[in-house]
Amino acid sequence: MSRPDVVVAVVGIDHRHIYGMLQGMVDAGATCKGWWTEGELQTIAGFVKRFPEVPRVADRRTLLDDPDIDLVLIASAPHHRANHAIEAMESGKDVMLDKPGCISLDELDRVKKAVDRTGRIWSLDFSERFEVPSALKALELVRGGAIGTVVQTLSMGPHRLNRATRPAWFFDKSLYGGILGDIGTHQIDQFLTFTGSKTARIVTATARNVGNPRDPAFQDFGEIMLESETARGYARLDWFTPDALPAWGDGRLTVLGTEGYIELRKYVDIEGRAGSDHLFLVNNAESRYIDCANIPLTYFRDLAADVANRTQTAMTFDHAAEVTRLALEAQMMADGQR
């Protein structure tokens, strides 16, 4: 590629994660040539406010057929994402998707075949790691040996429901993939990454509707236990963040090693320090707090370089596909399908 900067386009803004996805690429030096979405969504006002200079197009083929566009960002409804990604890859574009990238093993198989056939990049923005500075610092410390060999990860992914802002597909498991197949991907990504594991086994998985009986196809609570050859992991996910919390969720991650542990309070330190990205490190030499709020994000910059250089530094396809497979298997186990 002769151009130093990546040109992107947006297909689907059904989820607000698209705001961070596009802003991350713009901050990495990319330019956005246009966006398309189906229908008139609540997310449009926020998108236009953030990116007023980016034009909307009436037909997504306008973007997919544009030879100047290198990377397509996809945040359409989950049951459309696999098809939109395959369509974009077959049009010669790399893709970055909001999670989940797929909601069935059949979709994942079709994605794998499309990647093999086209040679394009299929990347997932695991925002609970890629958009969290404290997670980047924690990974640096782990890989530097600060806590020895990782034994276990304990992760919590609570979310605020914000019912009034949610579209109909959000409450239908057949359309969003279930709580484990959806936000469970974040926790599985973190387990594989922090333990240095290429794969894992789902030991047990549960998913239920506890507090939303009027939406029987919605799951608001889930758990996953998994293990690799070297470590174990536990994750709890829910949609019960109370209104008084000054953040959308009290996301936490504890990484236990043979010589210490790290705890992240990603978004809020309840009744403690202000702001986000709080890291606590305890090992045999020290016990200290690290403010990580100003640590620069790297995923978007690395993905831009991957698009330009045909490399896989931001994330390998094998990792993205394995996280997706495990999340789908966990969801199937929880639903009694395996």
Side-chain angles (χ1 to χ4, degrees), residues 47-59:
F47 186 90
V48 171
K49 181 179 180 179
R50 289 167 175 81
F51 310 105
E53 73 286 354
V54 181
R56 183 177 186 176
V57 302
D59 185 346

Side-chain angles (χ1 to χ4, degrees), residues 196-213:
S197 303
K198 292 188 179 299
T199 188
R201 178 179 74 90
I202 304 298
V203 177
T204 186
T206 62
R208 295 185 292 160
N209 183 321
V210 178
N212 292 274

Side-chain angles (χ1 to χ4, degrees), residues 27-329:
D27 291 344
T31 57
C32 185
K33 200 164 184 183
W35 64 279
W36 170 90
T37 204
E38 186 172 8
E40 298 303 315
L41 310 175
Q42 283 190 341
T43 52
I44 290 177
F47 186 90
V48 171
K49 181 179 180 179
R50 289 167 175 81
F51 310 105
E53 73 286 354
V54 181
R56 183 177 186 176
V57 302
D59 185 346
R60 66 178 180 272
R61 289 299 331 175
T62 302
L63 304 174
L64 300 182
D65 294 337
D66 188 331
D68 289 337
I69 292 171
D70 310 298
L71 176 69
V72 176
L73 314 184
I74 299 173
S76 48
H79 60 295
H80 292 313
R81 289 176 192 166
N83 286 337
H84 286 165
I86 292 169
E87 180 184 42
M89 289 189 289
E90 290 179 339
S91 300
K93 315 300 184 188
D94 296 319
V95 295
M96 181 236 284
L97 298 94
D98 182 20
K99 56 79 221 151
C102 301
I103 63 171
S104 72
L105 290 175
D106 175 68
E107 286 185 347
L108 180 58
D109 182 62
R110 291 195 295 115
V111 165
K112 288 180 176 179
K113 290 176 179 176
V115 169
D116 289 341
R117 186 168 61 248
T118 65
R120 309 315 301 181
I121 294 171
W122 186 83
S123 188
L124 302 179
D125 177 15
F126 294 124
S127 56
E128 291 190 27
R129 178 163 65 94
F130 292 142
E131 297 186 32
V132 176
S134 57
L136 302 185
K137 181 62 177 180
L139 187 57
E140 174 190 315
L141 291 168
V142 167
R143 289 176 172 171
I147 59 172
T149 301
V150 175
V151 175
Q152 188 215 34
T153 64
L154 171 63
S155 56
M156 298 183 184
H159 289 62
R160 180 173 284 128
L161 185 57
N162 288 328
R163 176 179 289 276
T165 69
R166 302 296 183 178
W169 58 258
F170 178 84
F171 297 97
D172 187 341
K173 182 165 66 69
S174 68
L175 302 181
Y176 77 88
I179 192 170
L180 305 186
D182 179 19
I183 56 179
T185 56
H186 288 301
Q187 319 311 323
I188 294 172
D189 163 67
Q190 290 172 94
F191 171 79
L192 293 182
T193 301
F194 280 91
T195 64
S197 303
K198 292 188 179 299
T199 188
R201 178 179 74 90
I202 304 298
V203 177
T204 186
T206 62
R208 295 185 292 160
N209 183 321
V210 178
N212 292 274
R214 66 173 176 169
D215 299 299
F218 180 61
Q219 295 174 334
D220 53 26
F221 182 86
E223 299 172 288
I224 305 173
M225 183 173 289
L226 66 167
E227 66 178 2
S228 67
E229 292 184 354
T230 60
R232 303 263 295 189
Y234 170 81
R236 189 204 80 203
L237 309 118
D238 68 77
W239 288 96
F240 294 126
T241 294
D243 290 342
L245 190 78
W248 57 264
D250 184 11
R252 301 191 184 193
L253 172 68
T254 299
V255 185
L256 175 66
T258 55
E259 299 176 23
Y261 66 91
I262 292 170
E263 181 182 350
L264 303 184
R265 298 186 182 184
K266 297 179 177 180
Y267 309 112
V268 62
D269 184 8
I270 298 177
E271 301 304 319
R273 298 168 177 86
S276 62
D277 291 287
H278 308 281
L279 186 153
F280 303 88
L281 167 66
V282 183
N283 59 23
N284 294 323
E286 61 179 340
S287 175
R288 65 178 172 130
Y289 165 77
I290 303 174
D291 181 354
C292 302
N294 294 321
I295 290 175
L297 303 178
T298 59
Y299 168 71
F300 303 101
R301 178 197 69 199
D302 291 344
L303 182 58
D306 288 340
V307 170
N309 301 321
R310 311 317 300 162
T311 50
Q312 295 189 62
T313 56
M315 175 195 298
T316 66
F317 172 73
D318 287 346
H319 176 79
E322 186 64 5
V323 170
T324 302
R325 181 188 72 82
L326 289 169
L328 292 171
E329 289 193 357

